Structure formats: C-alpha cells, structure tokens
Amino acid sequence: MPRLSRSAPTKLARGARRKGPSLPGQIVLVLQGGGALGAYQIGVYEALHEAGIEPDWVIGTSIGAINGAIIAGNAPRHRAERLRAFWASVEQRAGDGWPDLVPGLGNVFANLVTMAHGVPTFFTPNPAAWFGQHTPLGIEGAAYYTTEPLRETLAQLVDFGYINGKHVRLTVGAVNVNNGEMRYFDSRDEDICLEHVMASGALPPAFPAVRVDGAPYWDGGIYSNTPIEAVLDDKPRKDSVIFAVQMWNPEGTEPATLWEVAGRRRTSSTRVARRAISRGRSRSTTFATSSASSQSMSPKRCAIRQRSKSSPRGAAARRCMLLGSTPRDSTARIS
C-alpha cells in the first residue's frame, strides 16, 4: 500500500493554542463507535486543542478506538494532522459529479462501489466469503471483508511506543467472542498494540474477529457503544471532566430507512452509558456531551454540567459549538 501523505502542518499541528482553562479533575475524552460519523470527532478534538485542553485519558470503541489511538499515539502538535490524514485516506468520492437526475443516485453508486471494492486503506473484499454463509472459514476468516489494509494504515499513523510511554492513557473496548463479555484494554495496566485497536473495530459480519492473547474479539460497540461506565467504575476513582461525543440520536420518530434503522440500533448500546451518567457515581464528575444528528449536521450546542454528591445536577459551566461532519470541514469551537 502506498504511504499515506501527510498534509503540511496547520496552525493546530504547529501546536499554536492558547493556555487551557483550569478544570476540576482529569480530562477524559470518550469516543463512540459510529462508522463514517467518526469524522465528526475530529472537530471535537480540534475544539479542545484550540481551547488548550488535551485529554489525560482517551477511551473508545469501534471507530472511536481508532481515533483514540491516533490521538493517544501522537504528540499534541501532530494529533490533528494525523487524524485528518486518516480520514482523508478513507474518504470515498465515487459518485461525485453525477448529474442529479435521480435524487440520491450518486450515493447509490458510491455505496455499490464500496460494497464491491471496499475502501483500499481500510478494508477489501474477502473472496472466501463468496463460497456461501455455511462455508467453514474460521473465526478470523468468517467475514465479508478483510481489514489488513487498516493494519497498514494505522501502523503509519499511530506510535504505539508513545502510547505505552504513558503520555496519555488509552483504553479500548472489545467483546470476547467466546463468552460475550466486554473487556477493556488499558495502557495503564498493559502495553497496547495494534491488535487491541483492530479488535475494538472488528464489527461482524463485515469484519473478522481479531485475536488478543489467543482469544477472538469483536467490536466493543456490540456491548457498549459509549463506554462511560468504564470511566465511572475506574479504581481508584478520580475527579474527572468527561467529554463524550454522542454520534447517534437516541430519540425520534420511528425509523423508516435502512440508515435510520442502523442508527437506532446503535443507540440501544448507549443505554448503559446513559444510566451510568444518571447515577453520577464519581466523587466529582463534569460531563460534556455533544450530539451529531445522523441526518443533519447543523450546529449543535452542548453544556458541560458539573455533578457531585453535593450538587447532583449542577449548572452549565461552559458551552461549545460543534459544526460540520466531514474530514474537510468538521470543526468545533469552545467559547
């Protein structure tokens, strides 16, 4: 695979950012799974970076684990640059420029191209899957696509030596195929490698399971797509400011399209996180949640609410503006 091009350093990449505010505790960035909507997380990180806020701990599942590894696996001055390099490499432009004679025709063509050919830097078709659903392929081969290209892409963008140097704590979640239990791989407790991140994004049946320590693992979003509960259950407990990016709207009208059905299914795995937040079990926890609509990326406002035993609800402490949805224009500002 050709080496990924890395764009010229931007203002963010040069590390030009103002001094960060004083926040009451460790800074935790929680990144959901959500496929292509993971591009939205670039803007969230850039907003924090511009405000002088860098995470002490990044925790994610699925595409959130991939973005999280890029953040934790690079020095602050390189993080935005590497994130954009990744999303530029997986950007799919098939269907661009098609005359809009039939609404959505370009999207249909793009989807067909992706299904047939994959995304060269992320996944490609697995020919063995063509022999039928009952063909024994083994747990690491029973998938419609192979993610070997992703392995090469992440190897270029993530410095696992930097992660294991414990500059930033990284936690990624994956589900054990044999017992259905969620497991969090944590750089505080063990060395994190490429397999851990790959396992967290191995969503069946599209992508194959990935073995870690001999056991096969699937996408952590199957169990918990918003792994805030792992932060609140952490021992020893610490005062925390948690920035959580909500990629899917958990409420709304009945889904009527395949896209809407997929989005609503994703929200079912966020219930654990929502219940954990409502309990407010940490000594002093500030939650910053943002929502990216699956249909429209119009500006959204979010409030960071400080909660503690003495003030279970609290008041809005800061506000952030989130704009955009694509690798080229996704930005966020904290005012």
Side-chain angles (χ1 to χ4, degrees), residues 177-228:
V177 178
N178 293 328
N179 57 30
E181 293 183 358
M182 184 73 161
R183 178 177 174 182
Y184 289 103
F185 301 101
D186 194 331
S187 66
R188 183 192 62 180
D189 304 323
E190 60 185 310
D191 284 348
I192 296 297
C193 65
L194 189 54
E195 279 67 28
H196 296 113
V197 180
M198 296 283 292
S200 186
L203 182 64
F207 303 148
V210 176
R211 289 191 184 275
V212 177
D213 298 330
Y217 286 88
W218 277 333
D219 192 305
I222 296 173
Y223 180 89
S224 177
N225 202 44
T226 311
I228 290 179

Side-chain angles (χ1 to χ4, degrees), residues 94-281:
D96 281 4
W98 275 54
D100 198 18
L101 300 177
V102 179
L105 183 60
N107 288 336
V108 171
F109 179 72
N111 291 338
L112 290 175
V113 169
T114 301
M115 290 176 62
H117 300 285
V119 177
T121 56
F122 198 126
F123 59 91
T124 53
N126 175 19
W130 301 344
F131 291 100
Q133 294 186 350
H134 299 288
T135 303
L137 303 175
I139 190 65
E140 296 170 275
Y144 293 114
Y145 300 94
T146 173
T147 52
E148 284 304 308
L150 177 62
R151 182 181 298 274
E152 298 181 37
T153 299
L154 291 180
Q156 296 180 29
L157 296 174
V158 180
D159 184 347
F160 286 94
Y162 189 87
I163 292 176
N164 296 320
K166 304 188 185 306
H167 301 278
V168 175
R169 182 179 175 185
L170 174 67
T171 303
V172 297
V175 173
N176 188 308
V177 178
N178 293 328
N179 57 30
E181 293 183 358
M182 184 73 161
R183 178 177 174 182
Y184 289 103
F185 301 101
D186 194 331
S187 66
R188 183 192 62 180
D189 304 323
E190 60 185 310
D191 284 348
I192 296 297
C193 65
L194 189 54
E195 279 67 28
H196 296 113
V197 180
M198 296 283 292
S200 186
L203 182 64
F207 303 148
V210 176
R211 289 191 184 275
V212 177
D213 298 330
Y217 286 88
W218 277 333
D219 192 305
I222 296 173
Y223 180 89
S224 177
N225 202 44
T226 311
I228 290 179
E229 78 282 357
V231 181
L232 299 181
D233 288 336
D234 191 40
K235 295 180 181 179
R237 294 179 181 176
K238 294 182 179 180
D239 293 351
S240 300
V241 178
I242 303 175
F243 293 86
V245 185
Q246 170 67 29
M247 307 303 296
W248 306 93
N249 187 358
E251 300 174 353
T253 59
E254 293 182 356
T257 68
L258 291 174
W259 176 257
E260 292 171 355
V261 169
R264 190 61 57 82
R265 181 188 66 82
R266 280 280 188 175
T267 63
S268 64
S269 62
T270 69
R271 301 298 179 183
V272 174
R274 292 168 69 86
R275 289 195 297 268
I277 290 177
S278 67
R279 288 196 298 268
R281 290 175 295 174

